[in-house]
Amino acid sequence: MTLRPKLLMYFFSISILIFVSGIIFYIQLSNLIEPLTPRSIPRSVDQLASIIVKNEVKNRFQYQELQVELNLQNYIYTNNKLSLQHYYLNEGILLQMLKKLEPINPELWPILKNKFSGVQEQRSQIILLMTEHKVELAKTLNNSDDYLQRLTNLKDFIPLYFTNKETPSDEAAVAAVKLAVKNSSQILNAV
Amino acid sequence: MISQVKSVKLMKEHRLSMHCIYILSSIFLIFVWSFFIAPQFKKIPDNFSYKARLLSIDNFYDAKTKKFEGDHISKAVFSYDVLSAESTYLVIMNTFKVTKISGTPIFSVSREYYIDPAEAKHVNIPGKNPRAGYLFAPQYSMGQPFIYWHVNYNAPALMKFVKKEDLYGLKVYEYSANYHADQTSNLVHLPDVPTKRGIRAFIELRLWVEPISGLLVKYVDNTTAYYYDQKTGELIEPWNKFSNRYTERSIVQKVNQAKHLKWKYLWIDFGVPTLIVLVTILLIFYPYISNFYSRASAKAQSNLARHKHLIHVLILILILLAAGLSTFYYFLRCKKTSEIYKVGISQWNNNLESLSAVQGFKDGLAEFGFYEGKNVEFIIRNPNSKFENQLSIIQQFVHDKLDLIFTLSTPGTLIAKGVTSKIPIIFSDVSFPEESGIINKSTNKSNLAGTINYITPAEQFYFLERIFPNIKTLGFLHFKGDPDSEILYKEFKLLLNKRNIEVIDIAAIDVEDMQRQLNFEWNKSKFSALYIACDTLIRDKGYKIAAEFTTVNKIPSFSCDKSSVINGVLVGYFADLYALGKASGIKAAIVLKGGEPSWLKSELPRKGYLIINLITAKLLGLSIPKDEIDQADSIIHTQGEQ
C-alpha cells in the first residue's frame, strides 16, 4: 500500500473515532446536564427561596401582631406601665415590619394598610383612654364588637395577603430540585 | 512581424488609457466620498443622546461656625439630548441634575445649545446666547487647545492638553482648565441671592476625550463657590466646595461608545478611501497579476503533487497541536481556582466597632474555608472617614483587580458602588441600604450584598424608657447631612411624636460645633434625654464629647454606638458589628466560591446587643430593672472599660 491510501485510511479512522467518542461524550454530558439545566434547578430554588422568605415574614408579622395585642390586653387589665412600654416596643417593631410588606403583594397592599390602620386607630383610642384614667371606657371599647370585628378581619386577611394567586407551588419546586439531585447522583454513580 | 509590434503598441496604449480612467475615477470617488457622503455618516444624528451618572461630593460652608460642614455624598445625572433638528443646526439640551442619595433634589440646571451637526461646534443664532467652541472636543485632535462649555457654569473654558492616557484600552487625551464663572442666576434660592449677594465659582475642570471622535469619556471638576457682594464685587464667604466625577460604570459605557465611534470615523475617513485606492491598484495591475499567478500556480501545482503526503501529515500534526493547546489552556483555567484570593478591605475609620466588623468578616470567611495567608490575602486600608481617600482606595482596588471588596458605612459603600460595577462588594455597618441607593431590589443584576446595621427606634428607646420612663423631650445628636442619621431622625420623630414626646434635632458639623450646639440646646430646652447616633462624626471623635456632656449634665442618654456607652452614655442597644461582619464574611465566602452577589439577601441583625453603663446609672441615681441587667450582653462597671 502506498503512502497516500495509508494516510487516507488513517484520516478516515481518526475521524470515525472522534465522531463516535464525541457522540458518546455528548450523550453522557447531556444526560448529566439535563436535570441541572438553568430551566429547572435555579428556577425551583428561586421559587423555594421566595416561599421561605414570604412564610418567614408572614410568621414574624403575625407573631408581632399578637405581641401587640397581648401587651395591650395586659395594659388594660393590669394598668401596669411596663405593659405599656412593651406595647410601644412591639408596636414600633410592627410598624417597621409593615413598611416592608408593600412589595410582597402590591395589589392587596391598600387593603392590608386600610385594615391595619383601622385596628391601630382603635388601639390608640384605648391607650388614650387609659392614660386619661378612663379604664372602664377603655375596657368597653376593647370588648366592643367593632374592635373585635376589625381585629378578626385583619387576622383573617394576613394569610391571604401572603398567598396570592401567583405564588408557585412549593411541592413542584421541591420535586424539581429533588429530581435533579436524584438523576445526577444516578448518572455519577453509573460513571 | 510589424503587425505584431503594432498590436503590442496598441495594447499598451489601451492599457495606459485604462489606467488613467481608473486613477481619475478613484480620485473622483474619493472626492465624492470625503466631501459629500462621509460627512453624512459622521454628523451628529437627530436622535443623539448622551447620559452619564456622576458621584458628587458637596462640602457646604457653615456661616455660624465659619467652617466647612464636611463632605456629603450625592448623585448626579449629566445628559445631552436633541430637542429639535433645524436645517443647519441641532438644538441640544444639556442637563445637570444633583439629588441627595435619598432622591431629594439639590441643584438642577439645563441649557440649550445650537450645534452644527457636521463639526459638533456651537453656532451662533441671532437672539440667543452666543457661544463658540465645541459640544465636547474637536475631532482628530492633536492636543491643540479648544473651548468647552460646561452646563454648570455657562462660561467658556479654554481646555489645554495635559497628557495622553490609557483608559480601559482606549487612548484618551486629558485636558484641563482653571477658570471662574458667575452662578448667581442658577442659585436664586440661596439667602440674599441675587438681591444683595451673588455666587462666583472658581473651577478646576478636567476632561478626558477620545482624540479621533472627540467624544467626552469622563470629566472631573473641583469647584469652590463663594458669595460675593453685588455692589462691590468682593468675595464675602464660601458657599460650597464641591466636586463631580463620572461613576466607573458610566466611564466604561462611554469608553465603549468612544471605541465604536473611533473605529467608525477611522473607517469612514481612511478605510473607505484606502479601499478605493486598493481596488484601483488591483484593476491597474490585474493583467500583470493574472499573468504572474497563472505561471506561479502551474509551478505550485507541480510542487504540491510532489509533497502531497507531507502536507497531509502536516495538517494532522497541526490539528493535534491545536487540540493539545486547547486542553492545556482549559487545564490552566481550571488550575486558577486554587490561587490565593485577594480581598480589599476599606474599614472607613479606626473606630472600635469598625475594627470588630473587620475581624468578624475575617472570621466569617475562615468559617467557610478561606484562611488569611493560606488561600486569601487581605489588603486593608483606612480612609479615615474621608471621601477622597475612600475614592482613591477603591480605585486602587479596582486597578489591582482584586477578587472582592469589603466596605463599611453608607458613604464608604456608596463610593465603592460608584467606582466599580464589576468587582463584588460586600458591605456592613449600613443602616438603610435601599433608601440610600446602595441596593435596588427591583434589579436582579447587582454586585453588592451585605449586612444591615439597623435596630428599630422602638427597641432602642425601650431600653432607656425602662430605666428612665418620664421622657418628655428627646435631643437627637447626629452628624449634619449624614444620610443614615437623617432617616433615623425622621423615624424617631414619627415614633415619639405619636406619644407626645418632642424630638429636638441637634445636627453638628464637627466636634466643636457639637459641643456648642449641645450647650445651646441644653440651656434652651433642657431636653429630658439624649440620643447619640452612630454616624461618622460620633464614631470618629464625637462619642467622647457626647458621653462627657451627658455625665457632666446628668442627662439620661442612649446610643447605637458602643464606644459612647463605654465612655459614659447610660445604655445602648445596637447591632453587634462583629456578628454583622461575620455574616458579611460568610456572604463573601459564597461569592469567592463562585456565587453571585445578587443571590444573596442583605440581612438585618437577628438580635441587638445590649450594653448598660452601671457607673452612669449610679451617677444619675437610676436603678436598672433586674430583667434588663439579665438581658444585657455587656455591663460597664468601670468607666472607659467593658
Side-chain angles (χ1 to χ4, degrees), chain A residues 9-171:
Chain A
M9 209 178 74
Y10 290 154
F11 262 122
F12 183 71
S13 315
I14 288 168
S15 305
I16 293 287
L17 191 72
I18 291 170
F19 180 74
V20 171
S21 57
I23 290 282
I24 294 166
F25 186 68
Y26 173 78
I27 292 167
Q28 285 289 333
L29 201 68
S30 59
N31 278 340
L32 192 69
I33 285 173
E34 198 279 324
L36 306 169
T37 166
R39 286 190 304 277
S40 65
I41 283 198
R43 202 175 57 192
S44 305
V45 169
D46 281 346
Q47 283 177 3
L48 285 174
S50 153
I51 292 161
I52 291 167
V53 169
K54 272 190 179 180
N55 278 339
E56 195 186 321
V57 174
K58 182 181 81 179
N59 293 340
R60 283 183 59 204
F61 187 70
Q62 280 177 323
Y63 170 79
Q64 206 56 45
E65 167 59 32
L66 278 174
Q67 282 288 317
V68 172
E69 187 55 28
L70 183 73
N71 294 145
L72 181 71
Q73 299 308 319
N74 278 348
Y75 180 51
I76 294 167
Y77 289 100
T78 61
N79 206 356
N80 181 352
K81 267 218 160 159
L82 183 62
S83 301
L84 181 64
Q85 285 170 355
H86 280 150
Y87 169 79
Y88 282 132
L89 166 71
N90 287 303
E91 189 205 29
I93 299 170
L94 185 70
L95 289 171
Q96 282 297 332
M97 288 176 74
L98 188 78
K99 272 191 199 173
K100 310 272 176 191
L101 294 188
E102 190 180 353
I104 288 178
N105 196 339
E107 266 179 47
L108 298 181
W109 168 246
I111 305 171
L112 179 76
K113 205 177 154 193
N114 194 23
K115 287 186 188 291
F116 187 80
S117 306
V119 173
Q120 278 304 106
E121 220 171 75
Q122 292 283 61
R123 283 177 178 159
S124 301
Q125 278 283 320
I126 295 168
I127 296 286
L128 189 70
L129 290 170
M130 288 295 290
T131 48
E132 286 170 357
H133 306 290
K134 295 172 183 169
V135 180
E136 286 311 311
L137 215 56
K139 280 181 184 171
T140 315
L141 187 57
N142 180 48
N143 295 324
S144 69
D145 288 344
D146 181 36
Y147 177 60
L148 291 174
Q149 189 58 50
R150 285 182 193 207
L151 208 58
T152 316
N153 284 348
L154 177 67
K155 280 177 185 168
D156 290 346
F157 188 72
I158 292 170
L160 192 71
Y161 184 79
F162 286 91
T163 48
N164 60 350
K165 57 185 175 219
E166 283 162 20
T167 306
S169 152
D170 54 347
E171 191 186 33

Side-chain angles (χ1 to χ4, degrees), chain A residues 4 82 85-86 88 96, chain B residues 309 454 462 465-466 499:
Chain A
R4 195 184 169 204
L82 183 62
Q85 285 170 355
H86 280 150
Y88 282 132
Q96 282 297 332
Chain B
H309 304 311
Y454 177 76
Y462 166 79
E465 203 182 22
R466 289 291 315 278
R499 297 172 57 184

